[in-house]
Amino acid sequence: MRTTLQIEWMKVRNYRTFWILLAITIVSIPGFNYMFYDIFDNKFPKMRGKSIFGSPFAFPDVWQTVSWNAGGVLFLIPAILIITLTTNEFTYRTHRQNVIDGWSRGQFVGVKMLEILLLSIFTTLIVGLTALAFGRLGNKVPADVSIWQGSHFVAAYFVQMLAYSLIAFMMAMFIRRAGLAMGVFFVYLIIENIVVAVCRNRYHAVWVDYLPEEVTDLLIPQPYAKAIITQQGASRWESHVPVYLAVAAAYLLIFCIVSSRRFLKSDL
Amino acid sequence: MTNILNIRSITKFYGKIRALHEVSFDVPPGSVYGVLGPNGSGKTTLLGIVMDVLQSSGGEYAWFGQPPSSRHRRQIGTLLETPNFYHYLSGERNLKIAAAIKGHGEEDIPRVLETVKLTGRRHSKFSTYSLGMKQRLAIASCLLGNPSVLVFDEPTNGLDPVGIAETRQLILDLSREGKTILLASHLLDEVEKVCSHVAILQKGQLLMAGHVNEVLTNEDYVELGARDMQKLAALLSGYPGVRQVKPYEQSLQVYFEQNNADLDGINQYCFENGVVLNHLQLRKRSLESKFMELTNT
């Protein structure tokens, strides 16, 4: 596996688009969070020197805040990167050549999944470091709070990132064209959001919680304004986290199996 | 000696379209095996199946007498259909990837680049290469690690006349080194010039396969001419062993049952029956004419 990963590295290390998208990912996670930090720190009224929305960028809430911000929109950039790297193989027909030259089909699809895993770990590290930086540099750590309290939200971000990435990968494996795969990926996300909003708000449907995108989103609840918005259903959420995690894990497995079978069984 | 490749009843459907129908033949070691057929006859599909980029609908094949695996493919240099490389990488970097997948070091890259005369452009991006250069890079990739088996699908595609001649010479040189070469082409003279064996495909069906001499066995014919062609034709129809007499331009072509054309006997027979021949020649049938006959084109 190490050799296949080295070969994968040979493919991307001189690919400019890879570095541009990676740089955007690295910059956008702290940048996007700083934008919110600036708004909450400076733009909202304060009572007794504290923001009426609480301190979302102070320990322990900073982990949840940064993870939620990073997962909300910024997953799109790594997803675009995954779709680009995967569909490139189909565009240049190098997926065929890799197999002709001596990779098994399983090796090809396996190293792509490993690439997704590493990218998810990398962005999770960025999220973790960003949370630490905001928590450390921007705020004093309360004496009774461990800085690691709430850091499990970073792990939740990892699961969320992995799920979005594998959906993007699956789209790329089936559609094989970059533009179309990205389009279908975005349309799918929008449709799922609309279905969730309509069914939950109008019909109080619970099943929408278990849709692929939503179930990982629910692992990180909205972090803002905890001080003034009653966290309705907080205890219900806590009790449901194991279920969300189990369903998310099942989805991850399904995405992997479906994508692999597509490559293992079809004509290349 | 174990065959390099055994193909047994390979069948392939694309939906309802049957691209290959129970194709079977064996590729012996050291042979240059031409797979011949018009466009759409199934040549590339067959090679795609034995290189595991296409799934067969039926049948089986074996490399080196064993069930096929990625390990076998690493021992084979293959150019299938079009050169497939990363457009944003240089020729040399692309070869490094191919070498790494094949499990070879990079030390062979300068040699293969020199063989295909691409040393001077090794640092240029693949996207800047001409069609001929892309094809030559693909051939270079095949030669990495000096494999004992090579699979070429239309290797002279996109090459200029000099490139075509050089590639043919390269294939002949590789064959003289004892390498086994499987060569798919629709260019009949290309196959005829370099191949020891040939398989002829049409619309996915194998029409004939074997050593070139076997495939072309009994295919000598005699070309004759005389002032009175009608009388000559009638006379030859009665000559013992004649299978077919057919007019060709200003002469007659005469085919014999047992390939036992006796020029002296024919000449004497015609003269004794009042026909003086002004043209008499034994001809070897070309692969092209055999191919035309088999495929009815």
Side-chain angles (χ1 to χ4, degrees):
Chain A
M1 193 46 90
R2 192 179 157 201
T3 310
T4 50
L5 204 55
Q6 280 172 339
I7 293 168
E8 208 61 17
W9 175 240
M10 289 166 79
K11 293 180 191 175
V12 298
R13 73 178 174 200
N14 293 101
Y15 185 40
R16 193 182 298 163
T17 308
F18 168 77
W19 290 110
I20 290 170
L21 288 173
L22 202 64
I24 293 172
T25 304
I26 293 167
V27 171
S28 65
I29 290 173
F32 193 69
N33 275 287
Y34 181 78
M35 201 173 72
F36 276 83
Y37 171 79
D38 188 48
I39 291 168
F40 277 87
D41 207 43
N42 300 320
K43 304 289 191 293
F44 287 114
K46 292 182 178 178
M47 286 175 68
R48 296 191 197 103
K50 284 188 172 181
S51 167
I52 60 168
F53 288 104
S55 307
F57 285 93
F59 287 117
D61 288 344
V62 67
W63 297 104
Q64 183 182 351
T65 307
V66 171
S67 300
W68 191 81
N69 284 341
V73 183
L74 301 179
F75 67 86
L76 287 177
I77 302 160
I80 290 170
L81 180 57
I82 287 158
I83 290 174
T84 305
L85 292 179
T86 308
T87 54
N88 267 353
E89 302 276 9
F90 297 116
T91 305
Y92 303 136
R93 294 165 68 88
T94 40
H95 66 301
R96 282 165 64 97
Q97 196 61 45
N98 288 174
V99 171
I100 288 168
D101 285 341
W103 265 1
S104 67
R105 291 175 180 226
Q107 270 179 302
F108 181 90
V109 79
V111 78
K112 290 289 174 206
M113 286 183 187
L114 191 59
E115 203 172 62
I116 289 168
L117 180 69
L118 291 176
L119 190 63
S120 299
I121 291 171
F122 178 75
T123 53
T124 302
L125 272 174
I126 303 284
V127 166
L129 290 171
T130 303
L132 263 181
F134 275 99
R136 275 267 184 208
L137 303 176
N139 301 278
K140 284 183 179 175
V141 184
D144 58 338
V145 173
S146 159
I147 62 165
W148 303 111
Q149 189 182 326
S151 60
H152 61 274
F153 283 109
V154 178
Y157 166 83
F158 171 72
V159 175
Q160 190 184 26
M161 180 66 207
L162 208 52
Y164 279 108
S165 300
L166 283 172
I167 293 174
F169 179 61
M170 195 168 65
M171 300 286 178
M173 292 296 274
F174 275 84
I175 297 169
R176 297 187 170 198
R177 291 181 185 173
L180 199 57
M182 284 179 206
V184 172
F185 177 65
F186 295 148
V187 167
Y188 167 73
L189 297 182
I190 290 165
I191 288 174
E192 194 188 307
N193 271 315
I194 292 169
V195 168
V196 169
V198 171
C199 292
R200 182 180 289 152
N201 297 337
R202 285 202 173 195
Y203 307 109
H204 307 289
V206 179
W207 59 268
V208 293
D209 289 356
Y210 302 102
L211 289 174
E213 180 195 351
E214 186 62 15
V215 77
T216 55
D217 286 355
L218 286 174
L219 291 172
I220 310 171
Q222 189 278 117
Y224 295 110
K226 280 184 174 178
I228 58 169
I229 299 173
T230 309
Q231 294 288 298
Q232 284 185 342
S235 60
R236 180 185 173 274
W237 173 80
E238 277 184 18
S239 67
H240 275 67
V241 165
V243 181
Y244 295 149
L245 274 173
V247 174
Y251 276 125
L252 295 181
L253 193 64
I254 290 167
F255 297 151
C256 288
I257 291 170
V258 170
S259 304
S260 302
R261 280 189 67 83
R262 168 72 176 169
F263 196 78
L264 295 174
K265 299 290 177 190
S266 65
D267 287 342
L268 304 181
Chain B
M1 196 181 281
T2 310
N3 283 320
I4 297 298
L5 175 64
N6 302 101
I7 295 173
R8 289 287 169 270
S9 303
I10 293 281
T11 300
K12 172 70 178 171
F13 282 92
Y14 290 111
K16 289 181 179 175
I17 296 168
R18 191 176 65 189
L20 286 174
H21 179 61
E22 302 208 338
V23 173
S24 303
F25 62 88
D26 300 319
V27 179
S31 62
V32 181
Y33 211 114
V35 180
L36 198 60
N39 291 331
S41 58
K43 305 182 296 291
T44 301
T45 299
L46 181 65
L47 296 187
I49 288 169
V50 298
M51 296 315 297
D52 194 33
V53 293
L54 297 177
Q55 305 276 11
S56 69
S57 310
E60 55 188 23
Y61 64 95
W63 280 108
F64 310 102
Q66 296 170 0
S69 73
S70 55
R71 181 172 55 83
H72 293 132
R73 291 199 301 281
R74 284 197 285 275
Q75 299 169 34
I76 302 166
T78 305
L79 163 57
L80 191 59
E81 223 171 350
T82 50
N84 303 318
F85 292 103
Y86 297 93
H87 287 216
Y88 52 87
L89 294 179
S90 69
E92 189 176 58
R93 286 189 196 281
N94 269 298
L95 289 185
K96 284 181 180 177
I97 291 173
I101 292 175
K102 287 167 187 277
H104 302 308
E106 296 175 1
E107 62 280 354
D108 204 23
I109 292 173
R111 178 187 72 84
V112 298
L113 280 170
E114 192 55 42
T115 304
V116 298
K117 297 185 172 58
L118 274 180
T119 305
R121 291 291 303 272
R122 66 187 186 280
H123 296 308
S124 303
K125 279 186 183 175
F126 179 73
S127 57
T128 66
Y129 281 13
S130 69
L131 187 59
M133 290 165 76
K134 288 174 180 173
Q135 192 75 359
R136 280 190 275 150
L137 186 69
I139 293 171
S141 181
C142 291
L143 301 177
L144 281 170
N146 200 19
S148 60
V149 180
L150 292 140
V151 177
F152 291 131
D153 182 16
E154 310 284 5
T156 54
N157 258 2
L159 297 179
D160 57 24
V162 177
I164 290 171
E166 285 173 352
T167 303
R168 278 182 186 157
Q169 190 55 48
L170 176 68
I171 292 171
L172 283 170
D173 292 344
L174 292 167
S175 143
R176 283 188 197 112
E177 289 173 26
K179 296 186 190 305
T180 307
I181 300 166
L182 188 56
L183 171 71
S185 180
H186 64 274
L187 301 176
L188 300 160
D189 64 328
E190 183 170 285
V191 171
E192 196 168 23
K193 280 176 183 163
V194 298
C195 291
S196 60
H197 292 68
V198 65
I200 300 178
L201 286 172
Q202 188 194 26
K203 293 179 182 171
Q205 287 204 302
L206 183 69
L207 301 179
M208 193 169 268
H211 196 278
V212 167
N213 293 339
E214 291 169 14
V215 171
L216 297 180
T217 270
N218 297 331
E219 296 304 331
D220 295 354
Y221 63 93
V222 178
E223 206 172 80
L224 305 100
R227 187 169 291 170
D228 188 345
M229 295 296 282
Q230 282 186 334
K231 189 176 177 185
L232 177 62
L235 187 62
L236 288 169
S237 300
Y239 188 77
V242 167
R243 180 164 59 89
Q244 188 186 13
V245 178
K246 63 178 185 182
Y248 177 74
E249 295 180 348
Q250 302 303 313
S251 61
L252 293 175
Q253 291 180 342
V254 183
Y255 294 84
F256 290 84
E257 297 288 356
Q258 301 296 325
N259 197 26
N260 56 357
D262 169 17
L263 295 188
D264 292 347
I266 295 169
N267 197 8
Q268 190 175 359
Y269 171 77
C270 291
F271 188 75
E272 286 172 355
N273 287 282
V275 176
V276 177
L277 298 175
N278 57 21
H279 178 65
L280 176 66
Q281 190 169 20
L282 181 68
R283 287 197 182 276
K284 288 277 181 188
R285 199 163 186 208
S286 71
L287 186 57
E288 182 173 346
S289 59
K290 178 73 179 177
F291 179 77
M292 294 296 186
E293 182 190 290
L294 285 169
T295 57
N296 293 318
T297 48

